[in-house]
Amino acid sequence: MPVIIILACILIEHVSRYLFRDFITLSYNPGVALDILRGNPGLALIFSGIACVIIIFACIFLNMNKFTRLGLAIMTGGALSNLLERIFLGYVIDWIPMIFIDYNCNLADVEISLGALIAVWPNMKQLLPRFTQRSNIFFYSSTSISCSLRKLR
């Protein structure tokens, strides 16, 4: 099942760009997110490859719930899509304008972010109280999850 999701994510990224080609402006990003490592595409390729290997390793060897596995599969599809573009083109083609900052992203970037959200969402109930109990800055409200700054003393 994860292999089908990974392949679907790669296919969706490339087909959607083709379908919307008359309505979009392409930008070519040899770096990673937000043009980080723009001057060093080889390093961006290495980091992308390492990230893909780590995510695939986690999917195969770690025991996790179905949502985490689904999220990691979607992340892997997005990461592999970007990695393939870096290998064959030397850059990633971005085409989705971001609203609040002057950068573009691509559907693979959206898949990576969405996959991360899906992967951690079921675990948030367990992670948030543990994080907030150890921190002096945040507190946990039992009626609703809320993070607020406390005055540091």
Side-chain angles (χ1 to χ4, degrees):
M1 181 75 161
V3 173
I4 294 170
I5 293 169
I6 291 168
L7 293 175
C9 288
I10 294 170
L11 186 66
I12 289 169
E13 155 64 17
H14 295 283
V15 169
S16 63
R17 186 177 342 140
Y18 177 77
L19 291 175
F20 294 113
R21 70 186 177 282
D22 295 334
F23 308 104
I24 59 176
T25 302
L26 302 179
S27 62
Y28 305 97
N29 182 2
V32 293
L34 305 177
D35 285 339
I36 299 170
L37 299 176
R38 184 175 190 79
N40 198 341
L43 197 55
L45 180 65
I46 291 169
F47 282 147
S48 297
I50 290 171
C52 286
V53 168
I54 290 171
I55 295 170
I56 291 169
F57 177 84
C59 283
I60 294 171
F61 295 108
L62 296 180
N63 185 19
M64 59 189 87
N65 64 43
K66 63 183 175 183
F67 289 107
T68 304
R69 188 171 301 280
L70 172 66
L72 288 178
I74 293 171
M75 284 177 63
T76 304
L80 283 176
S81 180
N82 279 344
L83 181 64
L84 291 171
E85 285 188 13
R86 287 186 208 295
I87 290 170
F88 292 111
L89 302 175
Y91 51 83
V92 172
I93 300 172
D94 291 333
W95 55 276
I96 301 171
M98 299 175 85
I99 296 171
F100 297 109
I101 55 178
D102 190 28
Y103 287 99
N104 292 338
C105 67
N106 60 25
L107 202 54
D109 297 333
V110 174
E111 291 167 351
I112 293 168
S113 300
L114 179 64
L117 181 64
I118 292 170
V120 300
W121 188 262
N123 303 314
M124 287 305 291
K125 273 188 194 175
Q126 298 161 350
L127 294 176
L128 192 59
R130 274 192 249 153
F131 171 75
T132 55
Q133 288 171 356
R134 295 181 190 155
S135 173
N136 292 331
I137 298 173
F138 296 95
F139 70 95
Y140 174 73
S141 169
S142 60
T143 56
S144 66
I145 298 174
S146 62
C147 295
S148 300
L149 290 173
R150 270 195 200 172
K151 289 183 180 178
L152 297 174
R153 296 180 190 195

